[in-house]
Amino acid sequence: VTWAEVLRVLLTLLVTLSLSLSIGLGCSVLSTEAKTAVLATFATVLVVAFVPFLCLFMEALLTRGNPTFYGVPQLSPAVLLLLSFDQMFQQAPTFAYWSAVALQSLLALGLFLLSGTLLRCRWTASKQSSGRAKRIPRAPLTRSSPLGPAVNPYAWAAERGAAEPVWFRLLRGFMLFLIATMALVAVSTRHWEEAYSTAFITAYALHLATKFMMALEATRPLHDDRQSGALELLLVTPAGARCALPGAHLAYLKATRRSFRWLIWVNCALLGAALVFHKPLHMDGEALAVFTTLYLGGIATAFADRSALAWVGFRQSLLASSHLKATLMTLVQVMVPGWLLFAGAVMVMMTARSTD
């Protein structure tokens, strides 16, 4: 390790911190809630770090040559950290590292200035509209109204704030695009192993992200109503005790319907690709049986986890002091036991094989 390498790593960390802070400022200006800003910042930083790095990976995968490091990959802090080490710094083209530092510094400065401009515009708009009286529309007396006899009032109230976050839709779109691209590369080129492995890992990451969003949605309405005092007011009404949990469950099912369907479709698509293109993917009978079990098991687990996250999330939303803590405790109680059982089964199988 040389002093030049240490200084480059420190400079990389400083530039990455500046870029992350600029992204956080932009997300906080555009978001109205703290938890939304935190999650949007986290998702954006991941996309900025790994999408340009994916371009570098695809270039090395398809050309089987040394990557150029110029262009889109220079936007990634991960690529910048890779270039800061002596071995890659000497192998990379001239000025690849320093041009990446300059580009990311300019990007951080631009986001900082843009955040300040947006904040001033939003502050001016809020001051102009603060004195205006807002007209509250009257709810129509239809079956979609809480006054309708067949509508759960708590479900109607919870559905009004139930919507997929923008960060999650962007993240899901990127993952679906990556899965489709890697599956196409796997069945049409000689790079079947790397591409199909990437598609499989991305599909699993999509499952984790979707279940995190489900836990967020399961804990949101009851926790927010408990914090604001609306839940206590609802429970003292004649219909409160009978409609709170069923209404929250109906709102949860409606809010997670699209994400759940995408999980099922992704597993079915990858399973179909494995069954139809098992020869281009070089899958024998044993490998095909393993992947079929994984995909069908993933579908069954998605059904089970969707229901478990709802009811465990309802309980944690009434016990936890914050929404994020309720979400994390829900994920731990639902996901960790399955992971431990799976790890134990893998260890038993490996021990049995080594014994044989």
Side-chain angles (χ1 to χ4, degrees), residues 52-74 78-80 82-83 87-97:
F53 188 78
L54 178 64
C55 298
L56 190 69
F57 171 75
M58 290 296 299
E59 180 184 357
L61 178 66
L62 297 177
T63 62
R64 293 290 184 177
N66 294 326
T68 58
F69 289 101
Y70 283 116
V72 177
Q74 290 182 300
V79 174
L80 185 62
L82 187 65
L83 288 172
Q87 183 177 1
M88 295 303 301
F89 183 79
Q90 296 172 2
Q91 294 179 0
T94 308
F95 299 118
Y97 173 78

Side-chain angles (χ1 to χ4, degrees), residues 18 30 36 44 49 68 85 123 304 311 316:
S18 302
L30 297 176
T36 304
T44 306
T68 58
F85 296 108
W123 178 260
W311 298 109
Q316 290 299 323

Side-chain angles (χ1 to χ4, degrees), residues 159-182:
E159 287 174 3
R160 290 184 301 171
E164 287 186 344
V166 177
W167 65 267
F168 176 73
R169 283 182 286 176
L170 294 175
L171 183 62
R172 182 179 62 198
F174 166 69
M175 287 185 174
L176 291 174
F177 173 76
L178 181 59
I179 291 171
T181 303
M182 290 295 101

Side-chain angles (χ1 to χ4, degrees), residues 9-23 45 49 76-81 101 104-105 108:
V9 170
L10 291 177
L11 179 61
T12 300
L13 295 178
L14 180 62
V15 172
T16 303
L17 177 61
S18 302
L19 183 59
S20 302
L21 289 176
S22 300
I23 293 174
V45 169
S76 172
V79 174
L80 185 62
L81 180 63
V101 169
Q104 294 185 31
S105 300

Side-chain angles (χ1 to χ4, degrees), residues 4 33 51 81 100 107 138 163 166 189 198 254 257 276 278 308 339 347:
E33 296 183 359
V51 171
L81 180 63
L107 180 60
R138 297 179 61 185
V166 177
T189 67
T198 304
K254 184 174 181 180
R257 185 182 305 163
V276 175
H278 60 276
W339 290 343
M347 292 179 63

Side-chain angles (χ1 to χ4, degrees), residues 286-298:
E286 182 179 358
L288 188 59
V290 169
F291 277 103
T292 301
T293 303
L294 289 174
Y295 291 133
L296 294 179

Side-chain angles (χ1 to χ4, degrees), residues 35-233:
K35 59 176 181 270
T36 304
V38 171
L39 295 174
T41 302
F42 180 71
T44 306
V45 169
L46 286 181
V47 171
V48 171
F50 291 106
V51 171
F53 188 78
L54 178 64
C55 298
L56 190 69
F57 171 75
M58 290 296 299
E59 180 184 357
L61 178 66
L62 297 177
T63 62
R64 293 290 184 177
N66 294 326
T68 58
F69 289 101
Y70 283 116
V72 177
Q74 290 182 300
L75 296 173
S76 172
V79 174
L80 185 62
L81 180 63
L82 187 65
L83 288 172
S84 63
F85 296 108
D86 279 339
Q87 183 177 1
M88 295 303 301
F89 183 79
Q90 296 172 2
Q91 294 179 0
T94 308
F95 299 118
Y97 173 78
W98 298 111
S99 58
V101 169
L103 185 62
Q104 294 185 31
S105 300
L106 289 176
L107 180 60
L109 180 61
L111 288 175
F112 179 77
L113 296 177
L114 180 61
S115 300
T117 304
L118 291 176
L119 180 61
R120 184 171 62 253
C121 294
R122 290 173 67 92
W123 178 260
T124 304
S126 63
K127 287 182 62 178
Q128 292 177 353
S129 61
S130 60
R132 300 176 184 176
K134 296 183 179 180
R135 181 177 178 271
I136 302 176
R138 297 179 61 185
L141 296 177
T142 60
R143 296 183 65 86
S144 62
S145 168
L147 302 179
V151 176
N152 187 308
Y154 193 83
W156 177 85
E159 287 174 3
R160 290 184 301 171
E164 287 186 344
V166 177
W167 65 267
F168 176 73
R169 283 182 286 176
L170 294 175
L171 183 62
R172 182 179 62 198
F174 166 69
M175 287 185 174
L176 291 174
F177 173 76
L178 181 59
I179 291 171
T181 303
M182 290 295 101
L184 183 62
V185 171
V187 301
S188 59
T189 67
R190 66 180 185 274
H191 310 292
W192 55 271
E193 185 175 3
E194 300 92 338
Y196 196 77
S197 299
T198 304
F200 179 81
I201 294 173
T202 307
Y204 183 69
L206 178 62
H207 274 255
L208 294 180
T210 302
K211 290 172 184 178
F212 179 77
M213 193 277 299
M214 288 181 177
L216 275 175
E217 186 57 39
T219 54
R220 179 189 58 80
L222 288 175
H223 181 270
D224 290 348
D225 290 342
R226 184 172 70 90
Q227 293 292 323
S228 64
L231 184 61
E232 287 77 3
L233 295 176

